[in-house]
């Protein structure tokens, strides 16, 4: 059902990534990583930028740090490095190269990164409270395995259409799912940057683990909200799906976000998948699909769905309605909501 590591036909991965300061920030708290797990090589060197997918797969990560001063930079760098090093060690020692083991090890690596960041912050008061979003994607055979914490995103571009594979762990996403707001209203809200989870602030984190089948010609785009907050998915599809040079595609997407003000750091990773090891067609639809880990593995438990009040009256008649306090995980997190006029 999931992946065929023994498939003898080749799958080629072409990948590139870039991060940019943006127009208003004085330092960059974003970080990204691309790696060939079979070779044990995390870099943007030519042998990684265009490689044949090996039996242990590949890894792509985008992290968007937070915490003020240099804390965000520390958190995002720790996240990408720890996820890679932990996965390289645990998955590298596996003798069963199955999809179940790969997905479990990937999720475990993200949880390990959370523990490391949390412990570091406790030991260093100057960065206490730091955290980072993380979207980490493992590629094994003909499937993607996606882990999500926060509001960085993964899109799949197929046949010129971009579909969001991850769900934001954000206040706005929960309100949209609860019918409190439309997607358009959420995108314009002053509270659109409130996230419900990040790696680091709490000792434990709930990782959303999902999967997606691949077909020949698919393009995967990972990005921080410095891009997704300003560039529509249709624009991402138009650039990433058509531009054959991935470095140029990254430059174009970043330039578009900067042209619209660039209020945040901007990071994008683009991967294109080709080769006879991938089907030309697939019956499966692209989208957010929870990966079913078996009982012997660590269970995956997405962030609880927000349950709010009845849908609000139209915005032009609305007043500030209510305030909710949300306690989640091992720590207490305050959640504020006010519906504007």
């Amino acid at each position: 059902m999931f992946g065929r590591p023994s498939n003898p036909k080749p799958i080629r991965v072409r990948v590139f990534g870039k991060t940019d300061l943006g127009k208003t920030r004085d330092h960059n708290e974003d970080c990204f990583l691309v790696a060939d797990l079979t070779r044990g090589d995390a870099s943007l060197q030519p042998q990684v930028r265009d490689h044949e997918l090996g039996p242990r797969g590949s890894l792509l990560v985008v992290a968007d740090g937070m915490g003020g001063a240099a804390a965000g930079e520390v958190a995002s760098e720790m996240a990408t490095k720890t996820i890679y090093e932990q996965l390289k060690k645990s998955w590298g020692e596996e003798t069963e190269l199955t999809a179940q083991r790969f997905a479990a090890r990937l999720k475990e690596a993200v949880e390990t990164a959370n523990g490391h960041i949390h412990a570091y912050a406790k030991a260093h008061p100057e960065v206490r409270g730091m955290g980072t979003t993380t979207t980490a994607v493992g590629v094994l055979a003909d499937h993607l395995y996606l882990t999500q914490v926060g509001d960085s995103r993964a899109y799949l571009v197929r046949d010129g259409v971009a579909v969001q594979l991850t769900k934001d762990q954000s206040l706005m996403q929960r309100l949209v799912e609860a019918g409190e707001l439309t997607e358009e209203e959420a995108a314009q809200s002053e509270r659109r940057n409130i996230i419900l989870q990040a790696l680091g602030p709490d000792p434990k984190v709930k990782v959303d683990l999902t999967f997606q089948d691949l077909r020949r010609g698919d393009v995967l785009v990972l990005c921080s909200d410095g891009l997704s907050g300003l560039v529509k998915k249709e624009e991402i599809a138009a650039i990433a799906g058509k531009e054959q040079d991935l470095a140029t595609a990254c430059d174009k997407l970043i330039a578009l976000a900067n042209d619209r003000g660039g209020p945040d750091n901007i990071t994008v990773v683009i991967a294109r998948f080709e080769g006879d090891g991938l089907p030309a067609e697939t019956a499966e639809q692209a989208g957010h699909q929870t990966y079913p880990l078996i009982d012997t593995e660590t269970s995956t438990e997405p962030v609880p769905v927000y349950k709010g009040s009845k849908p609000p009256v139209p915005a032009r008649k609305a007043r500030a309605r209510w305030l909710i306090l949300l306690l989640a995980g091992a720590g207490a997190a305050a959640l504020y909501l006010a519906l504007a006029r």
Side-chain angles (χ1 to χ4, degrees), residues 142-166:
D142 56 359
H143 275 75
L144 303 174
Y145 302 89
L146 305 98
T147 55
Q148 177 73 9
V149 177
D151 64 352
S152 293
R153 290 183 178 180
Y155 295 94
L156 187 76
V157 181
R158 177 179 289 175
D159 295 332
V161 177
V163 176
Q164 187 176 333
L165 300 181
T166 54

Side-chain angles (χ1 to χ4, degrees), residues 4 10 20 45 58 79 95 103 105 172 195 198 217 258 269 311 317 320:
R4 293 185 293 273
D20 187 83
Q45 295 300 310
S58 298
T95 56
R105 292 304 191 187
M172 291 300 103
I195 59 175
N258 276 326
V269 172
K317 296 181 181 178

Side-chain angles (χ1 to χ4, degrees), residues 66-316:
M66 64 200 78
E73 296 172 42
V74 173
S76 61
E77 184 176 0
M78 284 186 68
T80 54
K81 183 177 180 180
T82 303
I83 291 168
Y84 170 63
E85 293 293 343
Q86 175 67 21
L87 186 61
K88 184 172 70 169
K89 180 180 184 297
S90 62
W91 176 237
E93 294 172 350
E94 283 285 354
T95 56
E96 270 187 76
L97 302 188
T98 65
Q100 280 281 336
R101 298 304 293 162
F102 184 62
R105 292 304 191 187
L106 176 61
K107 180 173 179 285
E108 177 186 70
V110 177
E111 293 168 340
T112 298
N114 179 73
H116 285 186
I117 296 169
H118 182 72
Y120 183 89
K122 285 185 68 176
H124 297 80
E126 69 276 11
V127 295
R128 189 160 295 174
M130 72 179 185
T132 181
T133 71
T134 300
T135 301
V137 180
V139 188
L140 187 70
D142 56 359
H143 275 75
L144 303 174
Y145 302 89
L146 305 98
T147 55
Q148 177 73 9
V149 177
D151 64 352
S152 293
R153 290 183 178 180
Y155 295 94
L156 187 76
V157 181
R158 177 179 289 175
D159 295 332
V161 177
V163 176
Q164 187 176 333
L165 300 181
T166 54
K167 281 189 177 181
D168 297 350
Q169 293 180 349
S170 67
L171 172 59
M172 291 300 103
Q173 177 67 32
R174 296 298 174 260
L175 293 178
V176 169
E177 291 175 355
E180 297 282 352
L181 296 175
T182 66
E183 290 187 1
E184 293 74 17
E185 288 171 333
Q188 298 300 318
S189 172
E190 294 180 356
R191 292 171 172 78
R192 62 185 176 273
N193 293 325
I194 296 178
I195 59 175
L196 302 182
Q197 280 204 129
L199 295 185
D202 295 314
K204 291 188 178 181
V205 68
K206 295 178 180 178
V207 180
D208 193 7
L209 175 63
T210 58
F211 73 97
Q212 175 63 51
D213 72 306
L214 283 172
R215 83 179 195 199
R216 205 175 306 155
D218 279 349
V219 176
L220 177 70
V221 179
L222 306 187
C223 63
S224 62
D225 66 340
L227 182 78
S228 61
L230 295 170
V231 179
K232 295 179 180 180
K233 64 180 181 180
E234 292 81 8
E235 296 169 316
I236 291 174
I239 294 173
K242 295 178 181 178
E243 178 57 64
Q244 292 300 306
D245 184 83
L246 300 186
T248 301
C250 289
D251 287 338
K252 287 182 177 180
L253 287 170
I254 289 171
L256 189 56
N258 276 326
D259 288 345
R260 293 171 181 173
D264 200 355
N265 308 141
I266 309 159
T267 299
V268 59
V269 172
I270 305 176
R272 188 183 299 274
F273 304 96
E274 298 286 356
D276 293 337
L278 293 174
E281 298 290 338
T282 178
E284 295 185 43
Q285 298 296 312
H288 182 273
Q289 306 171 84
T290 298
Y291 186 77
L293 286 177
I294 57 178
D295 292 341
T296 55
E297 307 290 2
T298 305
S299 63
T300 181
E301 188 178 1
V303 176
V305 174
Y306 167 77
K307 296 179 180 178
S309 64
K310 296 178 180 179
V313 295
R316 65 180 180 274

